[in-house]
Amino acid sequence: VTTLTATFFDVGHGDSIVVERDDPPLFSVVDCNLNLSRGETEPKAYRYLKSKGVTELDTVVLTHLHKDHYTGLEFFLRDFDIRVLRVPPFLSRNDKTHDKILKRLSAKIQEEIERSTDEFVFRPAYSLAYILAYVTANEDRVEEAAGKHNITRLCGFDAFISLPLPRIKGELHSKVQSHGSTSNTFPEMNAASVVLTVEHGGHRVTLAGDSTLEQWSEHKRQMERDRVTSVNATVLKVPHHGSRHNNDESLYEYVFKKTGRRLSIVSANGATHPHDEYFELVNKFGLEPYCTSLAEQCRAQNLIRLTGQTQLPDTTRPFLDNYRAEGPSVACQGDITVEVDEAGLRSVRGSTNNACIYRLPFAPSDT
Ligand SMILES: [Zn+2]
Ligand SMILES: [Zn+2]
């Protein structure tokens, strides 16, 4: 039996995913967020891999250049032997605009480092500088990731890249050229977000980064020409931390498989994201939601509903304690681990053992 395990680490607002295969043992990393507001000095995913004695990584994926996806990624680049680093299209050195982009980014990083000793500014800038230096020095192992259905492997499993669509490269280049956009003033960066799906045991796990609705709807149009009408995902790390701007009905209609268990995973801090609309989609599509952090909507609306129940399962206790907790980010499911083997979905579990109101028998249907 070969098992595919995907772990979505609770890193507040940000993505940090480890994909692994047990036999032969292979490990990949998708994005990283060093949670500075929780006082972390090493990424959780890094500690996890180190504790397992891992020295080699099959693939490292950087979905896009936002700091909640790259802060701390240099830990992996520095300490592991990496077979391939997959980056968004405009990052690799295969055309002349690359040098210009690199120069702009470097200038911006320099400026940030000089302007502030604040860790929250300095630390991500350092990570970005390290990544850019690594990309420059390791051309042979850096590969651009682009869709629309680009077959690849991840930890030896079948995988494919859906987004970004190849033409985003030209669009981003011309924007960088004309506006002088830099890493932090570049909202289009999400449009270049890499989306990767890994397959095993009849399941498709789609890691959607911060991908945009615009990219997805163009993807859908292009795939329909090839008579493909769905991504058929059974597990979706939803785009952009459950933002209303990047999650809607037509996207879920297109991405999710029509029948069977469907899991939606949110990697957010629970305070600013996910948005209300995400929970409407969960209800509408009958998804099994898993959130790393406890969402504001659950604290606000469901505390009263839950405490009104007399027959609460014991597992809801820590969850109720969480409702009362102060602070911007409290673990809900914590680190979420999905295991798939040849026979299908074997287990889904959170590190906290908290119950989820949306997965309880008396789950609300009107929120
Ligand atoms: Zn993000
Ligand atoms: Zn982003």
Side-chain angles (χ1 to χ4, degrees):
V1 183
T2 307
T3 306
L4 161 72
T5 305
T7 304
F8 303 84
F9 287 92
D10 175 19
V11 292
H13 185 90
D15 279 12
S16 177
I17 304 162
V18 170
V19 176
E20 56 193 280
R21 180 192 190 99
D22 58 342
D23 184 27
L26 289 169
F27 299 85
S28 293
V29 166
V30 180
D31 287 343
C32 182
N33 187 34
L34 183 62
N35 198 329
L36 299 167
S37 49
R38 288 186 197 163
E40 283 176 2
T41 53
E42 288 179 341
K44 264 185 170 178
Y46 173 82
R47 284 205 307 271
Y48 170 76
L49 290 169
K50 279 284 172 187
S51 75
K52 285 178 103 80
V54 175
T55 57
E56 289 173 26
L57 294 175
D58 175 64
T59 306
V60 173
V61 182
L62 169 60
T63 61
H64 65 297
L65 281 191
H66 277 152
K67 59 185 175 188
D68 56 321
H69 297 257
Y70 65 65
T71 304
L73 198 73
E74 75 279 6
F75 280 85
F76 303 97
L77 304 182
R78 193 188 62 206
D79 288 359
F80 293 87
D81 186 15
I82 296 164
R83 188 181 63 87
V84 54
L85 170 65
R86 289 198 182 280
V87 295
F90 55 94
L91 245 196
S92 82
R93 291 177 63 82
N94 63 358
D95 61 74
K96 49 185 184 234
T97 42
H98 172 83
D99 286 345
K100 260 182 197 160
I101 292 172
L102 211 67
K103 231 180 226 163
R104 288 237 167 94
L105 284 172
S106 308
K108 177 77 181 169
I109 292 165
Q110 192 67 33
E111 193 189 303
E112 284 189 350
I113 291 174
E114 280 167 11
R115 200 184 63 212
S116 174
T117 52
D118 182 348
E119 192 188 27
F120 288 85
V121 177
F122 181 86
R123 203 60 194 65
Y126 174 79
S127 293
L128 185 54
Y130 199 105
I131 293 163
L132 296 177
Y134 185 94
V135 167
T136 306
N138 293 277
E139 275 178 68
D140 52 328
R141 45 182 105 183
V142 175
E143 278 181 30
E144 286 189 353
K148 65 183 177 184
H149 191 84
N150 198 345
I151 308 268
T152 181
R153 307 281 284 176
L154 190 77
C155 293
F157 294 109
D158 289 338
F160 56 90
I161 295 160
S162 302
L163 292 178
L165 295 167
R167 77 162 192 218
I168 195 73
K169 191 169 173 168
E171 288 172 20
L172 283 174
H173 277 163
S174 60
K175 270 174 184 151
V176 169
Q177 302 278 43
S178 57
H179 300 117
S181 301
T182 50
S183 61
N184 285 4
T185 56
F186 207 176
E188 296 88 357
M189 210 57 97
N190 284 345
S193 191
V194 175
V195 175
L196 182 84
T197 298
V198 54
E199 298 185 81
H200 189 51
H203 280 265
R204 284 186 171 181
V205 180
T206 297
L207 310 173
D210 282 357
S211 52
T212 63
L213 292 179
E214 200 188 4
Q215 280 281 302
W216 275 115
S217 71
E218 178 58 25
H219 186 263
K220 185 179 169 187
R221 264 196 298 279
Q222 293 191 16
M223 292 303 280
E224 272 169 355
R225 275 182 233 143
D226 301 335
R227 307 199 183 284
V228 176
T229 56
S230 174
V231 179
N232 280 317
T234 50
V235 181
L236 174 69
K237 196 297 292 178
V238 309
H240 203 188
H241 322 286
S243 164
R244 68 171 69 90
H245 306 295
N246 306 60
N247 291 267
D248 75 0
E249 217 177 303
S250 65
L251 172 67
Y252 282 27
E253 195 80 58
Y254 175 57
V255 170
F256 278 112
K257 197 177 172 181
K258 297 281 171 286
T259 54
R261 284 180 77 179
R262 282 97 41 93
L263 274 51
S264 59
I265 292 165
V266 169
S267 54
N269 61 10
T272 57
H273 295 71
H275 290 151
D276 296 349
E277 289 84 345
Y278 165 72
F279 292 98
E280 289 166 18
L281 292 169
V282 164
N283 281 330
K284 177 147 187 115
F285 286 84
L287 305 173
E288 288 179 46
Y290 288 80
C291 300
T292 53
S293 300
L294 184 67
E296 191 92 327
Q297 294 84 350
C298 296
R299 299 185 208 210
Q301 294 170 22
N302 296 324
L303 174 59
I304 299 153
R305 191 192 295 270
L306 263 179
T307 45
Q309 299 279 338
T310 49
Q311 298 291 320
L312 283 178
D314 277 351
T315 49
T316 58
R317 291 295 156 208
F319 192 62
L320 286 174
D321 291 340
N322 268 348
Y323 280 133
R324 295 184 191 102
E326 297 288 307
S329 183
V330 178
C332 183
Q333 301 307 298
D335 305 332
I336 298 158
T337 304
V338 178
E339 283 184 333
V340 178
D341 63 24
E342 278 93 345
L345 194 59
R346 195 166 70 196
S347 75
V348 192
R349 54 182 194 275
S351 59
T352 59
N353 236 350
N354 288 338
C356 166
I357 181 133
Y358 284 89
R359 286 184 276 111
L360 290 172
F362 49 86
S365 54
D366 57 343
T367 48

